[in-house]
Amino acid sequence: MSRLLEGRGELGALMRMATLVERAQEHLRDHLPEEMREHLFVGGFHQGRLALITDRAVWLTRLRYEQPRLLGLLHQLPGFEAVTGFTLKVRPVRPTRPPLRQTRHLPEKAADEITSCAADVDDPGLKRALERLAAHAEKP
């Protein structure tokens, strides 16, 4: 696996590029004001320009003023001497949200039916499962 990822093939080149982009993002974020750090993402490198992505136009405006300083900082990193400038973009970044928990309601009458089914079942595992299910009934 390591031969594949670090080799001379396309996957190796892609992994090296991803590592460089990650290093650039960390380095640039370390030198930005605290309130701006979490809003900067490095999107990639194309034709000598590094794509900087932010989630709001207000941060993009501030990045425009920071370009010369950030370019100087980037040139300090080995492998980034060839960067000639930045391509600035606004792309809304949506945070991942956990799925909503769906609560289901088991009416008392349905629980009574499940309990009576459990009484007629011979399999002990199924019987316990039905009894646990019936225990979730709404209490009046």
Side-chain angles (χ1 to χ4, degrees), residues 9-73:
E10 289 180 29
L11 191 55
L14 184 63
M15 290 302 292
R16 283 189 294 281
M17 180 60 77
T19 302
L20 286 172
V21 165
E22 184 179 1
R23 278 187 30 220
Q25 182 169 303
E26 288 175 10
H27 188 67
L28 292 176
R29 279 183 173 183
D30 288 344
H31 292 90
L32 284 173
E34 185 72 35
E35 69 274 4
M36 227 175 134
R37 290 179 184 171
E38 65 187 41
H39 301 281
L40 173 77
F41 303 92
V42 175
F45 180 74
H46 184 66
Q47 295 181 346
R49 300 182 66 79
L50 198 66
L52 298 182
I53 302 170
T54 185
D55 57 353
R56 289 187 173 167
V58 67
W59 302 119
L60 183 96
T61 302
R62 290 190 59 185
L63 279 174
R64 286 188 203 282
Y65 291 109
E66 295 278 341
Q67 282 186 83
R69 185 176 74 85
L70 293 177
L71 191 58
L73 287 168

Side-chain angles (χ1 to χ4, degrees), residues 49-136:
R49 300 182 66 79
L50 198 66
L52 298 182
I53 302 170
T54 185
D55 57 353
R56 289 187 173 167
V58 67
W59 302 119
L60 183 96
T61 302
R62 290 190 59 185
L63 279 174
R64 286 188 203 282
Y65 291 109
E66 295 278 341
Q67 282 186 83
R69 185 176 74 85
L70 293 177
L71 191 58
L73 287 168
L74 200 58
H75 285 158
Q76 295 172 359
L77 281 176
F80 290 95
E81 298 84 9
V83 176
T84 59
F86 299 112
T87 302
L88 302 175
K89 298 179 181 183
V90 176
R91 298 281 188 272
V93 179
R94 294 183 182 97
T96 57
R97 294 183 184 158
L100 296 174
R101 183 180 170 102
Q102 295 181 354
T103 56
R104 297 190 176 120
H105 304 284
L106 182 64
E108 189 176 353
K109 184 174 178 169
D112 291 340
E113 292 294 325
I114 293 172
T115 303
S116 66
C117 286
D120 295 336
V121 172
D122 294 330
D123 181 11
L126 180 57
K127 184 176 191 120
R128 281 193 307 273
L130 289 170
E131 289 169 347
R132 279 195 317 267
L133 180 61
H136 291 288

